[in-house]
Amino acid sequence: MATTTNTPDIPAKANKFAPFALIAVLSILLIGAAFFGYQFHQVTYEQKSIKEDYSLSNNITFGIFSVDRWGEKISAVVDRRVKGFKLTAKQKTEMREGVEKQLHGLINKAVAEITRPQKGLAGKLKKLAFNTFVDVDELHAQVPSFARTIVVKITSPSSLKRIKGIANSKLDELEEQTYDRSDTTISTVERNIYHKYHVNNANAFDQVVKTKLDHIKKETTFNGLCLLGCVSIALILWLFLRKQVRLHVPLFVMSLLFALVLLVVGVTSPIIEVDARIQSMEFALLGDKLAFTNQVLFFQSKSILGIIGTLIEQPKPDAVLVGVLLLIFVVVFPLLRIIARALHVSCAHLFGSQKVLRFMAFDLGKWDMADVMVVGIAMTYIGLNGILKSQLSGLNIENDVLKTVTANNSALQLGFYVFVAYVVYAKILSYIIKKIDERNGECN
């Protein structure tokens, strides 16, 4: 007689542990999304800090608008001209001719003074002695040799050295009298920034900044793509598990956590950067050029929370009101919706009255302005970018004396696209929760 053995139902056991396996897989993805989101947030703020330091070091106040900076550059040009001053043969000839003209003029003036009619005895005696002993034509004949001697003496190396010394001393005196007291501030700012980046001069600082920003750009893109990749995988699981109704609750709750990660990263990371600068300005002086480069007119990099904080800190009540409204509609309401949806799907039966919960999970979306914020940011960027281009184009000048080139480096940052990803993801979750709610209603 054959004996029968009660073996466990393998499919039933697999079905029992399926939710736990799903939660484990999604937890790993969630940890990855949180990690990459944190890294994304950190590198974007590092980028913001570097650009703020660069904009401070190259601020137009410490450059084109600084009398001290202009004084340094003008002094350098004049100093080069004085040190390199040399007289050509043509200039020496013109100088000799000028000296001859002046000497002839002095002789004629002296002769006219002495030979004019005299009333006194002494004057008449001087006139008689002059006419007797002085040959005016001979004096004029000696003028060219005197002029050559004077020019040779003036243009000798020792004389030119003394002349350059006098010119430099006068220039230094003028430079000391012309200042705007910004030199100490500029030196302090530059010294602190250079120390922070372990450099000694502006060229090394520019190179370090460029290298760091290039690295950060790659790192930001990588972390952002990995974050969105984790979220996308969680979303793709809905396609494979759309018929596994019993897994929809844990899958939806975990999906809400991914939405939370996107929301936090989206509202805390920089979303827009406004950067207007004079890329180069060249001013012709004494045949040389005074040059200023990368003079930052304005720089700001803001996150959504940064914009809200700036508005709330304003002394104007209307600005504070707008900041509070943005905080409520863009940050608080989305968080409440995520919490309410998780409670509604997982444990709604524990609440006696579900009206408030259902309102927060479904109807609160009418007051959630995250999608409106996306449109507002995009329109603000488009409008601001157009205004900056229009205004900066008026500063582009090119003539024989002055040449300026402006640059508008304003751009939407990757934080904006993460926030857009949250809005899209939240819309998809809204569709899913309605389907879950409809199915539960049919079952009841």
Side-chain angles (χ1 to χ4, degrees):
M1 182 176 179
T3 59
T4 59
T5 306
N6 292 329
T7 59
D9 188 358
I10 296 177
K13 183 180 290 187
N15 290 337
K16 181 179 179 180
F17 289 100
F20 298 100
L22 177 63
I23 292 174
V25 171
L26 289 173
S27 296
I28 295 173
L29 284 174
L30 181 62
I31 292 172
F35 172 77
F36 290 119
Y38 175 77
Q39 292 295 320
F40 179 90
H41 175 270
Q42 290 297 102
V43 294
T44 53
Y45 263 86
E46 183 182 356
Q47 173 181 271
K48 175 184 177 183
S49 176
I50 292 173
K51 289 188 175 182
E52 286 177 342
D53 290 339
Y54 184 83
S55 66
L56 178 60
S57 176
N58 292 271
N59 193 279
I60 193 171
T61 304
F62 297 155
I64 294 177
F65 287 171
S66 170
V67 175
D68 287 337
R69 281 290 186 254
W70 276 99
E72 291 174 4
K73 291 183 178 291
I74 293 174
S75 297
V77 172
V78 175
D79 189 54
R80 285 196 298 270
R81 291 297 176 184
V82 170
K83 288 182 178 179
F85 174 72
K86 291 183 180 179
L87 288 173
T88 64
K90 182 179 179 181
Q91 290 172 332
K92 289 181 180 180
T93 301
E94 292 175 351
M95 181 183 291
R96 180 175 54 79
E97 292 175 351
V99 172
E100 289 180 3
K101 184 178 180 180
Q102 292 297 323
L103 289 176
H104 285 303
L106 288 174
I107 292 173
N108 291 331
K109 186 176 182 180
V111 171
E113 179 66 24
I114 293 175
T115 58
R116 66 183 176 85
Q118 302 291 334
K119 295 181 179 180
L121 179 61
K124 292 179 178 180
L125 290 175
K126 287 180 182 180
K127 182 178 179 180
L128 177 62
F130 180 82
N131 290 330
T132 303
F133 297 104
V134 177
D135 188 348
V136 176
D137 293 335
E138 184 180 351
L139 288 177
H140 282 292
Q142 293 179 2
V143 164
S145 62
F146 285 141
R148 281 194 297 270
T149 303
I150 293 172
V151 170
V152 170
K153 186 65 176 176
I154 291 176
T155 58
S156 66
S158 58
S159 297
L160 287 176
K161 185 177 181 180
R162 285 196 295 271
I163 292 173
K164 290 178 182 179
I166 294 172
N168 283 326
S169 64
K170 292 298 180 182
L171 181 63
D172 292 338
E173 182 181 341
L174 178 62
E175 185 179 352
E176 290 177 0
Q177 295 173 356
T178 308
Y179 60 91
D180 60 359
R181 302 182 183 274
S182 66
D183 192 54
T184 303
T185 304
I186 296 171
S187 299
T188 302
V189 170
E190 288 183 345
R191 184 170 59 252
N192 292 337
I193 292 177
Y194 292 170
H195 177 73
K196 179 179 178 180
Y197 291 88
H198 309 290
V199 295
N200 298 319
N201 54 67
N203 291 332
F205 175 63
D206 290 346
Q207 186 60 40
V208 169
V209 167
K210 183 179 183 302
T211 302
K212 283 181 174 290
L213 290 179
D214 289 341
H215 175 72
I216 287 175
K217 183 178 180 180
K218 295 177 181 178
E219 194 173 351
T220 304
T221 303
F222 173 77
N223 287 305
L225 291 176
C226 289
L227 168 61
L228 297 179
C230 292
V231 175
S232 299
I233 293 173
L235 196 59
I236 291 172
L237 286 176
W238 280 99
L239 296 176
F240 292 99
L241 301 176
R242 62 185 182 277
K243 295 182 180 180
Q244 303 295 325
V245 177
R246 57 195 174 76
L247 297 179
H248 286 181
V249 171
L251 180 56
F252 187 79
V253 173
M254 294 299 293
S255 297
L256 288 172
L257 295 178
F258 283 97
L260 180 62
V261 172
L262 286 175
L263 176 62
V264 172
V265 175
V267 299
T268 57
S269 301
I271 58 170
I272 189 170
E273 185 176 283
V274 182
D275 185 345
R277 64 180 65 184
I278 296 177
Q279 187 170 315
S280 65
M281 190 189 86
E282 296 179 354
F283 182 81
L285 177 67
L286 298 177
D288 210 337
K289 289 185 178 179
L290 304 181
F292 290 90
T293 58
N294 286 324
Q295 296 290 289
V296 179
L297 296 168
F298 182 81
F299 175 83
Q300 281 291 329
S301 181
K302 290 290 185 181
S303 64
I304 292 177
L305 283 183
I307 294 172
I308 292 172
T310 301
L311 289 170
I312 293 177
E313 291 172 358
Q314 297 297 314
K316 298 180 179 180
D318 54 346
V320 175
L321 177 61
V322 172
V324 172
L325 291 176
L326 285 176
L327 178 64
I328 293 173
F329 291 121
V330 179
V331 180
V332 176
F333 280 0
L335 285 174
L336 290 178
R337 286 184 70 195
I338 291 174
I339 296 172
R341 287 176 172 182
L343 294 175
H344 176 76
V345 170
S346 60
C347 55
H349 59 281
L350 298 179
F351 295 86
S353 175
Q354 299 182 14
K355 290 183 179 180
V356 176
L357 189 61
R358 287 188 62 85
F359 172 80
M360 295 175 64
F362 294 96
D363 298 330
L364 194 60
K366 299 176 183 178
W367 303 95
D368 183 347
M369 298 297 178
D371 51 350
V372 177
M373 187 68 176
V374 168
V375 177
I377 294 170
M379 296 302 294
T380 299
Y381 168 71
I382 293 172
L384 186 61
N385 200 43
I387 292 172
L388 286 176
K389 284 185 177 180
S390 174
Q391 295 298 315
L392 290 176
S393 63
L395 297 178
N396 290 324
I397 303 171
E398 184 171 5
N399 52 46
D400 295 337
V401 178
L402 179 64
K403 179 182 179 181
T404 59
V405 179
T406 60
N408 176 22
N409 297 326
S410 302
L412 291 173
Q413 299 299 291
L414 291 180
F416 171 76
Y417 299 103
V418 173
F419 189 71
V420 171
Y422 159 75
V423 172
V424 174
Y425 189 68
K427 294 293 183 182
I428 295 173
L429 292 183
S430 297
Y431 173 79
I432 293 174
I433 193 175
K434 288 179 181 179
K435 292 296 182 182
I436 295 175
D437 190 64
E438 290 173 1
R439 186 177 59 249
N440 292 339
E442 291 175 358
C443 294
N444 294 333

